[in-house]
Amino acid sequence: MILLAGCGTGQETSETTPADTENAMQQQGDATNGDSNATQGESAEQADSAEKAAKDDQAASPAASGEIREFDLDLEFTDDREWEFDYDRNQASIERDSGDRLSGQQAQDEFAQLFQAIQFSTARPLDEIKREVLEAVNAEQADVRDFELDVKFDSGEEMEIDHDVRNGGTSEELDEFSLDLTFVGGGEASYDFESDEREAEIERRDGSESEGAGALEEMEQLISQVNITMDRSIDDMKAEVLQALAIDAAEVEDFDLEVDYRGSEEIKFSHDMK
């Protein structure tokens, strides 16, 4: 037996056992499962990416997630034309002076497209929101004299923008300033100033009032610390005004500000948190 083993032909004889077969099948199965798991992992990553992109889109535009409860837009043109856009979830209407009037589902569909095209946010400059709105309704900005926008959200938040350009230009000389505040839990305050009349009146939250030279000096100091322009956001201007008045923004529920510039431009905006 030993001699025969030593004098063999030199060829190796491989014997496949049931255990070897089982191991090979297990390895093949593991490789297949690995490929499948990799594919599933890639699919999961793609799904996560798609979901993240959808959430980002919704975060960028409240309208995309259905947060707009009411929307009103009034436009007055330099040639005296007027357009009106009114929306809530139960009814919608669009009126253009050309006789183009939409209501019902047609109006709802146009509003849906309009909301998708605009990012409504108090963190954005007013002129950017105005430009997007006018582009969405196919109105030329140079032809619009008065722009009034009011948007209410499901959260209770409301933002309003009113931009009146009477002579087609802007001015840096402020003529009138009017601020009204309503505080959380009650209480109100108002700050009014007229440059031409050299008048000012202040009514504070605690019920005290001031007018005459003292109020005029206080209002002129306030106005010198703030900058109200269309290229700034509601958030920035609101924070600037409240900081100048040493008022905590968290205590303010309604903020309404209107400024008139001499002979040319009126800017009004409000931000209500109800």
Side-chain angles (χ1 to χ4, degrees), residues 3 70 89 120 125 129 148 168 170 175 196 219-220 223 245:
L3 181 61
E70 297 180 20
R89 294 200 177 101
F120 296 102
I129 298 174
E148 296 183 22
T170 60
D175 187 29
D196 286 343
M219 288 301 303
E220 287 178 338
I223 291 169
L245 293 171

Side-chain angles (χ1 to χ4, degrees), residues 203-261:
E203 297 181 6
R204 298 180 180 83
R205 181 182 186 180
D206 61 6
S208 63
E209 299 182 5
S210 179
E211 56 184 12
L216 187 62
E217 182 179 355
E218 187 173 341
M219 288 301 303
E220 287 178 338
Q221 183 177 2
L222 168 62
I223 291 169
S224 69
Q225 297 179 63
V226 301
N227 182 28
I228 310 302
T229 60
M230 287 293 292
D231 60 0
R232 304 190 68 199
S233 70
I234 288 177
D235 287 348
D236 287 344
M237 292 186 284
K238 178 180 177 181
E240 190 172 75
V241 171
L242 294 178
Q243 182 178 2
L245 293 171
I247 295 175
D248 186 352
E251 298 179 352
V252 178
E253 184 176 75
D254 297 345
F255 182 101
D256 296 274
L257 176 62
E258 179 179 351
V259 296
D260 287 0
Y261 289 96

Side-chain angles (χ1 to χ4, degrees), residues 32-195:
T32 301
N33 290 336
D35 293 340
S36 176
N37 291 336
T39 302
Q40 292 176 359
E42 292 175 358
S43 298
E45 290 179 0
Q46 292 173 354
D48 290 342
S49 298
E51 182 178 357
K52 183 178 183 300
K55 290 181 178 179
D56 289 343
D57 289 342
Q58 290 184 352
S61 175
S65 58
E67 294 181 2
I68 291 181
R69 187 176 77 242
E70 297 180 20
F71 175 95
D72 293 294
L73 173 66
D74 295 320
L75 303 178
E76 293 184 10
F77 294 84
T78 55
D79 59 2
D80 295 330
R81 289 179 297 136
E82 295 184 6
W83 291 4
E84 295 182 4
F85 298 76
D86 299 300
Y87 165 88
D88 62 38
R89 294 200 177 101
N90 297 320
Q91 60 183 4
S93 65
I94 298 173
E95 294 185 29
R96 296 182 176 90
D97 58 354
S98 60
D100 179 11
R101 178 184 173 87
L102 296 178
S103 60
Q105 191 58 48
Q106 283 185 312
Q108 293 280 1
D109 291 343
E110 185 164 331
F111 277 113
Q113 294 178 0
L114 186 150
F115 295 158
Q116 290 293 334
I118 305 166
Q119 182 184 344
F120 296 102
S121 170
T122 56
R124 302 188 65 207
L126 302 183
D127 56 3
E128 288 187 6
I129 298 174
K130 178 180 178 180
R131 174 180 54 78
E132 286 186 358
V133 170
L134 294 180
E135 288 178 353
V137 300
N138 296 317
E140 292 292 335
Q141 183 161 330
D143 297 335
V144 176
R145 181 179 65 240
D146 192 7
F147 173 95
E148 296 183 22
L149 173 69
D150 187 2
V151 186
K152 297 179 182 178
F153 301 93
D154 282 341
S155 63
E157 182 179 7
E158 178 179 1
M159 60 180 292
E160 182 180 355
I161 304 171
D162 186 350
H163 188 213
D164 187 354
V165 185
R166 290 179 287 275
N167 298 323
T170 60
S171 172
E172 296 181 357
E173 186 177 359
L174 190 144
D175 187 29
E176 296 182 11
F177 181 102
S178 178
L179 172 67
D180 293 304
L181 304 176
T182 302
F183 296 92
V184 176
E188 298 179 349
S190 64
Y191 301 79
D192 296 292
F193 168 84
E194 291 186 17
S195 176

